Amino acid sequence: MKILGIETSCDETAAAVVEDGRFLHSNIVASQAQLHARYGGVVPEVASRKHLESILAVVDTALASASLDLRGIDAVAVTIGPGLAGSLLVGANVAKAFAYAHDLPLVAVNHLEGHIYANWLLPGGHQEESVEGTPRFPALCLIVSGGHTDIVVMEGHGHYRRLGQTVDDAAGEAFDKVARLLGLGFPGGPAIEKVAAGAGQSHLTLPRAKLKRPYDFSFSGLKTKVHRLVQGEEGTPPPLPELAVAFQESVVDSLVSAVLRAAKEQPVAEILLSGGVAANARLRQALSQRSPLPLRVPPPHLCTDNAAMIAACAYFRLQVGDVAPLDADVQPGLRIG
Ligand code: KG4
Ligand code: ZN
């Protein structure tokens, strides 16, 4: 079964064709990052206008790269939330129009669930199946993106039990805000990772938030600490590379500690990492070195927003007959678990 996936929840206009939830036929992502960089973050109105301009060309390219037209597609999947309302609406309306015009089932996908399903994709095509196998349940999932930081147990397809979440900033949001404080531009995650990688070790240690609920996260105190240091409120400001390393270590340590604790306390078979921050090499390295269980992490380009993960998730939703009505509304505040 070939599914056309569409993703426009934030600042990436994306379309992909995925077969049987695993095999990538095409994966097109038009990033708006450069457009938003001058504002230091995503401007919702600018994002939805740009989606509108790009979406049809992106879908056409995804179909052409898969050597298909819509007659070769079995279902249309789209991100329904969470995300920016105006941006979600562009993808949702285009998906509904295709589904209606070609009499195809429409599948409404939770973006956070989509991120997890990037772990089902085989980036290189059919031949890799035997190497990777499929994730086993129950799976411990850490979703770290620009808008969310959630730790959930996936009991089976579509069944999630949330253990914890961020009580303030998401991990990616913290990277973006601290990058702005350090004058490193947008998006902040890759910028901080690059500076930190060139700096080696830091003698500076930044705080890790201690919360009452063991699986919750907090990153806003860390951001405030960096702000105070940069402003010279605690003496001579440390060199920028030291700050980048210390900040990254603090975020990685908080995330890894929660995952390790959950891996010990919860009956789970393996760990699935996902979301834009999962592209971070230091996080990937720290988890793979310390994880007591098999760890699955998508390649970096499938960690950040894409439509292949949406099409992959939709395949498993369709297996249980989860077809959305054509008047399905977007859900900007949708959660998982
Ligand atoms: O999942 P995603 O592409 O979009 C959302 O759903 O939010 O995540 C984007 C976030 C941004 O905050 C970005 O700075 C962060 O992921 N990110 C990274 C890296 N690449 C992207 N954070 C740390 N290291 C990276 N290499
Ligand atoms: Zn995302």
Side-chain angles (χ1 to χ4, degrees), residues 116 119-120 134-142 151-157 159-163 259 262-263 266-273 293-294 296:
I116 295 174
N119 283 292
W120 266 258
T134 44
R136 284 177 301 141
F137 300 126
L140 178 66
C141 309
L142 177 69
I151 182 162
V152 301
V153 175
M154 184 177 189
E155 313 273 12
H157 292 293
H159 297 284
Y160 304 93
R161 179 165 56 86
R162 195 206 321 229
L163 300 177
V259 170
Q266 305 290 326
V268 286
E270 53 181 73
I271 298 170
L272 310 182
L273 185 58
L293 296 172
R296 242 173 245 272

